């Protein structure tokens, strides 16, 4: 599965970082950084929660990619 981020919508509020810190992080300027856009089975549950919880719907997950 493939993760996508709309950086125009992202507020970098770090909810996703708290839910999946192995995938999401904020840089020194509080911009969202992604460790990998290819999400494996082990990370899928936490990434799904992060995507569903994004207040600006800036995250999406293509389950078929």
């Amino acid at each position: 599965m493939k993760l996508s981020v709309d950086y125009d919508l992202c507020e970098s509020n770090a909810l996703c970082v708290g839910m999946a810190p192995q995938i999401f992080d904020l840089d020194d300027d509080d911009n969202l950084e992604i460790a990998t856009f290819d999400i494996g089975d082990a990370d899928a549950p936490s990434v799904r929660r992060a995507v569903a919880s994004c207040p600006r719907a800036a995250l999406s997950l293509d389950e078929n990619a």
Side-chain angles (χ1 to χ4, degrees), residues 16 48 57-58:
C16 54
R48 283 187 187 105

Side-chain angles (χ1 to χ4, degrees), residues 1-4 37-39 60-65:
M1 69 188 65
K2 187 75 94 175
L3 176 66
S4 297
F37 287 91
D38 294 313
I39 306 303
S60 60
L61 195 58
D62 182 350
E63 298 276 349
N64 299 315

Side-chain angles (χ1 to χ4, degrees), residues 1 22 39-49 61 63:
M1 69 188 65
Q22 72 281 15
I39 306 303
D41 292 339
D43 295 318
S46 60
V47 172
R48 283 187 187 105
R49 280 192 301 277
L61 195 58
E63 298 276 349

Side-chain angles (χ1 to χ4, degrees), residues 1-64:
M1 69 188 65
K2 187 75 94 175
L3 176 66
S4 297
V5 180
D6 184 335
Y7 288 98
D8 291 331
L9 292 176
C10 182
E11 296 177 327
S12 297
N13 58 31
L15 288 176
C16 54
V17 176
M19 294 181 184
Q22 72 281 15
I23 302 295
F24 303 100
D25 197 8
L26 296 181
D27 67 14
D28 292 338
D29 295 320
D30 287 336
N31 295 310
L32 183 64
E33 292 186 330
I34 307 296
T36 181
F37 287 91
D38 294 313
I39 306 303
D41 292 339
D43 295 318
S46 60
V47 172
R48 283 187 187 105
R49 280 192 301 277
V51 169
S53 298
C54 181
R56 297 279 304 186
L59 303 173
S60 60
L61 195 58
D62 182 350
E63 298 276 349
N64 299 315

